[in-house]
Amino acid sequence: AMSGRQQYRVEFPVQAKPELVYNYMTDPSGLAAWFADDVTVNGNHYTFYWEGSQEGAQLVQRKANKLVKYKWTERQDEEYLIFEIQKDDLTEDTSIIVHDYDDADEVEEAKLMWESVIEQLKGTIGG
């Protein structure tokens, strides 16, 4: 039986300026470098392609160098993928906080997936 969908968050430190991270979270070729195999954009509608699958999302909110919020268009509920970028003014450290949804019993696996995806981002941006 379905155990229900739940939102979760994961946080990752990254050695990169928020401006750079933000570009990789909004620019189609930037996103294709770490998040999906390919990404196309039509206005605010993004289509993410992975091997054997694709999913559409609407870019519903963006704050330059701070926040990017996508709504998955094919999902029934208000499921958002949120990339939050936080910079510590004292240490100059940047953190990426990912908010996403998954089945309750898949959350731990999903967090591990994000870990490897963000590692790929870090390798791409050299952080």
Side-chain angles (χ1 to χ4, degrees):
M2 288 274 293
S3 54
R5 306 283 286 174
Q6 77 177 45
Q7 190 182 34
Y8 64 90
R9 71 191 283 281
V10 266
E11 187 169 341
F12 305 96
V14 55
Q15 302 293 319
K17 292 194 184 309
E19 297 78 12
L20 185 60
V21 175
Y22 178 80
N23 285 339
Y24 273 97
M25 293 176 166
T26 50
D27 179 73
S29 59
L31 283 160
W34 66 282
F35 182 58
D37 297 330
D38 193 23
V39 181
T40 57
V41 180
N42 185 349
N44 276 336
H45 188 266
Y46 286 63
T47 306
F48 299 97
Y49 298 89
W50 291 276
E51 200 178 320
S53 71
Q54 68 182 70
E55 193 159 11
Q58 198 77 14
L59 179 60
V60 290
Q61 190 186 359
R62 59 158 90 198
K63 292 182 195 158
N65 313 324
K66 289 184 189 300
L67 181 88
V68 186
K69 184 174 182 179
Y70 293 99
K71 182 188 181 299
W72 296 112
T73 48
E74 283 104 27
R75 300 191 195 176
Q76 291 173 342
D77 300 316
E78 298 283 299
E79 290 199 7
Y80 299 101
L81 168 62
I82 301 167
F83 295 125
E84 207 180 326
I85 305 163
Q86 287 184 350
K87 184 177 175 207
D88 186 307
D89 292 328
L90 286 175
T91 62
E92 299 279 299
D93 292 339
T94 303
S95 292
I96 296 168
I97 301 158
V98 179
H99 305 259
D100 198 10
Y101 284 81
D102 215 320
D103 297 331
D105 56 0
E106 301 281 341
V107 165
E108 289 313 310
E109 206 171 305
K111 288 181 178 179
L112 289 173
M113 182 276 297
W114 278 113
E115 207 167 292
S116 72
V117 169
I118 297 292
E119 279 304 314
Q120 197 157 336
L121 173 62
K122 288 182 182 183
T124 305
I125 59 185

